[in-house]
C-alpha cells in the first residue's frame, strides 16, 4: 500500500477481512487502493502477487495436506502471478507445489521468516544480518530430526 499497490483481501470470513481493512485505514492506508473480496473471486482476479496468510498447509495442523487454492483456481491466474505462502513449515507446502505445477512463480514462508529475523537482528545489534546463515539454520532445524 505504501508503494501504491492496489490490495484486495480475499477472505473466507468477511468480518475478519473488514476488520483488517479498518485497521489498515486507521494506520493511514488509502481507501481507494484497498478492498475486500470473497474467497471465490480469486479466480481470474488478475492479481500480481497472491499471498496466503492462512495456516492451511502448516505441518502438524489439521489442514497440513491441504492447499487453500485448487490447481483449477491457480490455473486461472496470469502466468506472471507470484504465489507467496507465509507458511514456513514445511518449506514446500501443498499450495506452492500446486502453484509450480500450474507454471506460476513461488516464494516460500522461509524467505519471510529469514527477512523478519534479519530485520530484528539489525535493529538489536546495529550490524548487517547474516541472512544466509539464518536460512541455513532454518532449513537445518526444520529438516533435522533428533536421534
Amino acid at each position: 500500500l505504501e508503494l501504491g499497490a492496489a490490495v484486495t483481501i480475499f477472505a473466507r470470513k468477511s468480518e475478519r477481512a473488514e476488520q483488517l481493512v479498518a485497521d489498515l485505514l486507521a494506520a493511514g492506508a488509502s481507501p481507494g487502493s484497498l478492498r475486500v473480496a470473497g474467497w471465490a473471486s480469486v479466480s481470474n482476479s488478475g492479481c500480481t502477487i497472491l499471498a496466503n496468510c492462512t495456516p492451511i498447509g502448516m505441518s502438524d495442523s489439521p489442514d497440513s495436506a491441504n492447499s487453500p487454492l485448487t490447481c483449477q483456481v491457480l490455473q486461472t491466474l496470469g502466468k506472471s502471478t507470484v504465489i507467496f505462502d507465509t507458511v514456513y513449515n514445511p518449506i514446500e507446502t501443498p499450495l506452492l507445489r500446486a502453484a509450480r505445477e500450474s507454471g506460476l512463480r513461488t516464494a516460500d514462508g522461509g524467505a519471510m521468516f529469514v527477512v523478519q529475523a534479519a530485520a530484528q537482528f539489525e535493529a538489536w545489534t546495529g550490524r548487517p544480518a547474516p541472512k544466509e546463515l539464518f536460512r541455513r539454520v532454518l532449513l537445518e532445524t526444520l529438516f533435522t530430526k533428533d536421534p
Side-chain angles (χ1 to χ4, degrees), residues 50 69 74 77 81-85 95-96 99 104-107:
L50 193 144
L69 300 171
L74 290 166
L77 302 174
T81 302
V82 175
I83 305 298
F84 168 52
D85 199 343
L95 172 60
L96 295 179
L104 302 173
R105 294 179 295 159
T106 63

Side-chain angles (χ1 to χ4, degrees), residues 27-51:
S30 168
S33 60
L34 185 59
R35 70 183 187 95
V36 172
W39 195 252
S41 63
V42 169
S43 291
N44 297 307
S45 64
C47 62
T48 305
I49 300 171
L50 193 144

Side-chain angles (χ1 to χ4, degrees), residues 76-112:
T76 69
L77 302 174
K79 290 298 179 188
S80 62
T81 302
V82 175
I83 305 298
F84 168 52
D85 199 343
T86 61
V87 170
Y88 60 87
N89 187 9
I91 293 290
E92 169 83 0
T93 64
L95 172 60
L96 295 179
R97 190 170 29 261
R100 274 195 291 285
E101 289 170 3
S102 298
L104 302 173
R105 294 179 295 159
T106 63
D108 63 66
M112 177 189 69

